[in-house]
Structures are given as structure tokens and as C-alpha cells.
Amino acid sequence: MGMQFTLRESRALYGLLAETTSDIILKTNCEGFVVQASPALEQLGFPVPNMLIGPHLLDLVGHTHAGIVGDALAAAIEGGRVGRWVEFPAASADGTEHWFELQLRALTDAKGKVYGALGVMRCVDERRAMSDRLFAATYTDALTGLTNRQAFISMLEHMLDDGPDGCLALFSVDFFRAINMKYGQATGDGVLVVFADLLRELLRGEDMISRIGSERFAVLLPRTDPEHAEAICNRVVRTLGDLRQTVGESRMAITASASVARVAGTLDETLERAEMALFVAKAKGRNRLEREKA
């Protein structure tokens, strides 16, 4: 059996919800100015009890999303129906960014004429933070903090779809299995972290670095021809070979083999050409870079 309320009971229920929830319950006129709001609005810096003139709904919204919220308000007023939830960053008084979702529905009088909108704003910071953590867990290599193979494949596909204009480089730490066997896995992990940090330091800001396997790394170099890509990546190979890296309690010589190939054709073709050039680099003695054969 459904619950039915008198007008007085409905007002009491509204007051109870407005005063006890962290959601912001607000009422606007047809122009979008807030004419009534729950105390939770104070979290955005608006002193509800002292408001002589309420803010416009869009005053609560970061400028980048004003259009989205404005469209939602217009749809509610014009359509007289419950709108979909929309997400936006709130314009808080202290300058910190908090994300909210908002749903609006039209308010109508006894004759069915729309005289405003009723809205519920709900903070979604925690949910967005959880989504960010899940995204990071899905696309980030936990050891090095680089993007992982899944992210690399997506980025390479995007480069190919966007129009081939760049290069792919592959790096493989030489004799990594022997390092693990001689010094232990903790030292092997340290070698990978050292190499990841070197890649970050020596490559350009626009280059996309991923760990795609045990000791294997891939770099996408957008808008770069093979000659330039070879020069950039050779610098990594030479610098690593010239240094004795400190890993844990040991100082050891770490080297890497590398390859460069154009991003062209299909994903499999691009990877195959880069893999073949890397195989040649290892076959010629490692600690070197080979470019795909034209």
C-alpha cells in the first residue's frame, strides 16, 4: 500500500529531509535563481539563513560546466519532467574543487503551469575518487607507476586511428633473468624502477612510456620521424650503458637493447616491425638500438 501525505505532512517531510541530509535541496524560479535551499548549501559558501537574494543556479557551477547545467535547467522548465542526473564541479567559496551531481524537476501549480524547478545536488567526490583509483589500477603498472600494456595498446590504436604520424620504440633490459637469479627479485624490481625513472628523465614530455612486460618497455613518440626517434632513444641506451646504477646495496652495470619502428599499417604490423628490430639488436650483442629495415 503506497503512502499518502497531507500538504502539512509533505512540508514536514521536506523539512526533515532538508535538515538531516548532506544533499543540497534547492528550489529555483523559472529564471534559475535559488529562492529556497537547504542548510547544506552552506558547504559551498552561501550563508543560507542570511541570503536576501539567492544566487543563480549557475553561480554554484564551475564555468566549464555551466552550459550542461543550464541545459538541464531549461529542459526541466520547458519539458515539465524529471531530468537526468548531470555531473559538474561546484564553484566553492574556498577555491577547492568538489564534484556534484544534480537532478531537476519542474514545479507546477494547480493549473499545471511551471513556476520553477526543484533540484537535488549530491556530492560525488568519493565516487569519482573511487573511479579514479579503479582507472589507475586498470591502466597503471604498480611497480614503476608507468602505464601498463593494456593502456599502451589503447594508445597505439588511437595513434593509428588518428593517422600514422610517429614512432614506436621498444626497450628490453639486458640479461634481466640473470640479474634476478644472481641478486634476487627485489634487486630486479629495483633495476626496473631505475630504468623507468631514466626513461622519464631523458624522454620528452609528450612521449608515452609504458611497461608492457617483465623487463620490456614501450615508448610512443608522436609526430616524430624515425631518424629523430632513433636519436632520442639512442641517448637512453648510451646514457644507461655509461652509468653504473645503484640498486639496493649494489652498484651494477645495467644495459638495454632497443628498437624503433614507424607507427603505420595495423597494430600487429607495427608491433611486428618493432619486435623484429629489437631481436636484431639483441642478436648483434645487446646494449644497442636497431631501426626497422625500410
Side-chain angles (χ1 to χ4, degrees):
M1 180 178 177
M3 298 182 69
Q4 296 183 352
F5 298 98
T6 66
L7 180 59
R8 185 182 297 274
E9 288 170 340
S10 295
R11 288 173 177 169
L13 178 60
Y14 171 83
L16 178 64
L17 290 172
E19 292 175 8
T20 59
T21 182
S22 59
D23 292 349
I24 300 172
I25 301 174
L26 50 83
K27 184 167 67 174
T28 77
N29 60 20
C30 288
E31 288 72 42
F33 288 94
V34 177
V35 296
Q36 191 175 349
S38 63
L41 184 62
E42 294 183 357
Q43 64 185 284
L44 297 182
F46 294 94
V48 176
N50 300 322
M51 281 195 305
L52 296 177
I53 301 176
H56 194 278
L57 179 62
L58 299 187
D59 291 337
L60 313 180
V61 182
H63 70 278
T64 56
H65 286 63
I68 295 173
V69 176
D71 290 344
L73 176 63
I77 296 295
E78 295 170 7
R81 64 185 187 277
V82 178
R84 61 184 178 85
W85 289 95
V86 293
E87 285 193 9
F88 61 91
S92 58
D94 62 1
T96 59
E97 183 176 87
H98 297 285
W99 280 80
F100 283 78
E101 61 180 5
L102 169 70
Q103 188 179 51
L104 295 161
R105 72 175 303 162
L107 292 170
T108 57
D109 60 20
K111 295 182 179 181
K113 182 180 179 181
V114 176
Y115 63 86
L118 183 67
V120 177
M121 284 176 58
R122 179 170 300 143
C123 185
V124 292
D125 280 347
E126 186 174 342
R127 189 181 74 200
R128 288 179 65 88
M130 177 66 74
S131 297
D132 290 344
R133 288 195 292 271
L134 289 173
F135 181 87
T138 302
Y139 292 105
T140 303
D141 173 57
L143 176 64
T144 63
L146 299 173
T147 50
N148 60 18
R149 183 178 182 84
Q150 184 175 348
F152 160 72
I153 293 297
S154 296
M155 292 186 291
L156 177 54
E157 288 177 334
H158 179 72
M159 279 186 70
L160 287 164
D161 291 342
D162 231 20
D165 184 19
C167 286
L168 163 65
L170 296 181
F171 292 87
S172 178
V173 177
D174 293 331
F175 305 112
F176 182 69
R177 186 172 298 180
I179 292 173
N180 265 341
M181 293 179 62
K182 182 175 181 178
Y183 298 101
Q185 184 175 344
T187 298
D189 287 349
V191 168
L192 297 177
V193 171
V194 164
F195 187 55
D197 289 343
L198 185 69
L199 288 171
R200 288 190 184 96
E201 181 180 345
L202 294 182
L203 294 175
R204 306 168 303 176
E206 65 266 33
D207 298 331
M208 295 168 278
I209 313 167
S210 304
R211 181 187 175 203
I212 61 171
S214 175
E215 80 287 4
R216 294 164 64 83
F217 297 79
V219 180
L220 293 172
L221 301 99
R223 298 173 298 278
T224 308
D225 60 43
E227 292 77 15
H228 191 194
E230 182 178 10
I232 292 170
C233 296
N234 248 329
R235 181 184 174 208
V236 175
V237 173
R238 288 196 303 269
T239 300
L240 183 66
D242 290 343
L243 298 175
R244 291 187 66 85
Q245 301 287 341
T246 300
V247 182
E249 298 179 354
S250 306
R251 281 185 63 80
M252 62 181 69
I254 305 169
T255 62
S257 301
S259 65
V260 166
R262 292 170 296 107
V263 174
T266 67
L267 184 145
D268 288 340
E269 290 169 349
T270 300
L271 286 172
E272 183 177 351
R273 286 185 277 104
E275 293 278 9
M276 182 58 66
L278 181 62
F279 175 81
V280 172
K282 291 183 176 182
K284 288 186 175 181
R286 296 180 169 83
N287 189 26
R288 61 183 294 125
L289 180 145
E290 289 291 328
R291 216 168 87 192
E292 65 170 334
K293 298 301 180 183

